[in-house]
Amino acid sequence: MRVLVADDDSVTSVMLEYCLEQFGYEVTVVDNGLKALELVRTGEYQLVISDWSMPKMTGLELCRQIRKRPSSSYTYIILLTSHEGTDSVVEGLDAGADDFITKPFQPEELHVRLRAGERVLALESRDVTIFALAKLAESRDLETGAHLDRIREYCRILCENLLEQGPYTGEIDGDFGRMVYLTSPLHDIGKVGIPDRILLKPGKLTDDEFEVMKQHALIGSETLDAALQTRPQAQFLRMARDIARSHHEKFDGTGYPFGLKGQDIPLCGRIVALADVYDALTTKRIYKPAFSHDESRAIIVEGSGRHFDPAIVNAFLETESEFVEVRQRIANNESPAPVEPGYRPLPLLPSYAQSIGRNVIARESVISW
């Protein structure tokens, strides 16, 4: 990552440049605020270390000018200063500084503060990336409506339950739950690579078409993995990749794309798998009506230990009222499917669940017992 240093003290700037290069940063050094502002305007620098007192433009004025300019991304500014006391801190923060380092600086402290700045910048890029990619995927399949919003809510509910009880309390914490919530909308990003004639087909897919549809898991994971290679510290990309790659794996090893089994399937993928199936079952699609909660519940219970992790099925059963509430609150912006006179829900039998899996929901690649 690039760091811009603005300091008219040659000794300090040389020390800064050396330390930053040792930390792995690309460094550009200038000796006044005006030059620094010109470089910030190029959009190539999001981390800036500026001396407080400089000729032509002080560090405080540089902060003010950076904050005034319209920008599509945030610039994190660390002021290097010999000033002490609350008044100086207030003045610097009011000018737009994010952090301070006191002269003479300690390399370890500098490194920690830069990493804090990187985390702030990563949050901005993470949210923008997730939103853009999720909307790209959603644009290919308009009939899913609020699918992405429901998916992440279902994942949140499951993670909160698993955090409190069950076999995964040692693996799940608040950060894990938040990350699943944020990245689960990217589970089907690979559908952008599936032809419309297959993705939007109003009926059962042929075997050949189903093989093409299955490629979306690899397309999505490879796309996200390519992004991860450029930003290996971006943990949200790692989880998004794992979800895209594994949310169609099955607990008994009969899923795709790699036939992973049990604990070999990433936990985030196992969570999204159940949330995705529940939403596909309870939502009207061009090839099927929406099933009731009870019908969908029976299918999920039938798949425990085969399609789904039994612990996650248990979490679903303990929170199913919350699933129903989310489903009612985040409804598709569509009219209900017409119901023929005399229609009655099909009986909730194991054979029914198996039939649904083989013949109807296989169209969505979500279940195929």
Side-chain angles (χ1 to χ4, degrees):
M1 191 170 191
R2 293 181 175 179
V3 178
L4 174 61
V5 174
D7 197 320
D8 63 323
D9 183 333
S10 60
V11 174
T12 302
S13 62
V14 168
M15 290 177 61
L16 282 169
E17 184 175 14
Y18 174 79
C19 290
L20 292 170
E21 288 178 345
Q22 293 300 304
F23 298 150
Y25 294 100
E26 297 180 40
V27 188
T28 300
V29 179
V30 295
D31 60 6
N32 67 70
L34 282 176
K35 292 179 181 178
L37 183 60
E38 291 176 3
L39 290 175
V40 169
R41 284 172 174 163
T42 67
E44 296 180 3
Y45 301 91
Q46 288 186 271
L47 276 175
V48 176
I49 301 174
S50 175
D51 189 19
W52 184 296
S53 301
M54 292 184 295
K56 298 185 179 180
M57 179 181 286
T58 67
L60 286 181
E61 186 58 27
L62 174 62
C63 289
R64 295 189 185 100
Q65 291 299 320
I66 289 174
R67 297 300 176 226
K68 280 182 182 180
R69 60 183 293 271
S71 177
S72 59
S73 60
Y74 190 73
T75 303
Y76 194 89
I77 308 171
I78 299 174
L79 276 180
L80 189 64
T81 176
S82 57
H83 295 268
E84 296 181 354
T86 302
D87 291 344
S88 296
V89 171
V90 170
E91 187 178 10
L93 292 173
D94 185 60
D98 295 287
D99 204 350
F100 300 85
I101 297 179
T102 304
K103 293 182 178 180
F105 69 89
Q106 296 297 319
E108 295 81 6
E109 180 185 3
L110 173 65
H111 196 195
V112 169
R113 294 183 183 277
L114 283 167
R115 287 167 60 189
E118 286 188 78
R119 288 195 294 271
V120 171
L121 297 174
L123 289 173
E124 179 193 39
S125 61
R126 179 194 69 184
D127 293 347
V128 171
T129 301
I130 290 172
F131 178 82
L133 291 175
K135 287 301 179 183
L136 176 62
E138 190 180 45
S139 70
R140 293 295 317 283
D141 195 358
L142 298 179
E143 290 203 48
T144 58
H147 173 63
L148 301 181
D149 291 329
R150 291 191 299 269
I151 285 288
R152 66 180 186 176
E153 286 295 325
Y154 297 148
C155 289
R156 176 187 60 78
I157 292 167
L158 292 172
C159 285
E160 288 176 355
N161 180 271
L162 292 167
L163 174 61
E164 296 174 358
Q165 56 191 330
Y168 303 126
T169 54
E171 296 181 51
I172 293 180
D173 57 16
D175 287 339
F176 179 92
R178 282 189 290 273
M179 197 68 74
V180 173
Y181 177 86
L182 286 167
T183 57
S184 55
L186 300 181
H187 66 288
D188 275 341
I189 184 65
K191 284 186 176 180
V192 298
I194 304 301
D196 285 348
R197 62 181 175 79
I198 295 175
L199 184 66
L200 305 180
K201 182 179 178 180
K204 182 182 176 182
L205 299 179
T206 66
D207 290 344
D208 288 343
E209 289 170 337
F210 186 61
E211 289 302 314
V212 174
M213 176 68 85
K214 286 163 63 174
Q215 292 300 308
H216 81 275
L218 285 175
I219 294 170
S221 66
E222 289 170 359
T223 299
L224 292 164
D225 191 60
L228 179 63
Q229 298 309 309
T230 66
R231 294 292 297 274
Q233 74 278 14
Q235 293 302 314
F236 80 94
L237 287 174
R238 191 179 310 280
M239 179 172 282
R241 179 203 62 189
D242 290 346
I243 288 174
R245 179 180 294 170
S246 66
H247 73 287
H248 286 303
E249 300 287 359
K250 297 183 182 180
F251 203 69
D252 64 1
T254 61
Y256 67 87
F258 300 115
L260 300 179
K261 184 176 182 179
Q263 307 297 318
D264 290 336
I265 305 170
L267 180 56
C268 56
R270 283 177 269 152
I271 291 169
V272 174
L274 190 147
D276 192 29
V277 168
Y278 179 81
D279 196 64
L281 291 170
T282 56
T283 303
K284 175 191 171 186
R285 299 289 172 86
I286 57 174
Y287 51 86
K288 61 172 278 293
F291 298 150
S292 71
H293 170 77
D294 287 342
E295 290 170 327
S296 303
R297 178 185 187 275
I299 293 172
I300 288 174
V301 170
E302 179 67 19
S304 181
R306 291 190 287 177
H307 193 132
F308 308 112
D309 183 335
I312 296 174
V313 173
N314 288 338
F316 164 71
L317 294 175
E318 291 178 359
T319 59
E320 59 180 305
S321 62
E322 296 178 60
F323 272 67
V324 172
E325 187 277 328
V326 167
R327 177 65 202 149
Q328 293 172 343
R329 174 166 52 86
I330 309 178
N332 280 334
N333 296 320
E334 59 185 17
S335 301
V339 178
E340 296 182 6
Y343 168 80
R344 294 291 186 274
L346 292 172
L348 303 180
L349 300 174
S351 60
Y352 169 61
Q354 293 168 357
S355 174
I356 289 293
R358 287 193 300 268
N359 299 316
V360 180
I361 308 304
R363 156 63 181 81
E364 186 65 14
S365 311
V366 295
I367 204 166
S368 56
W369 305 322

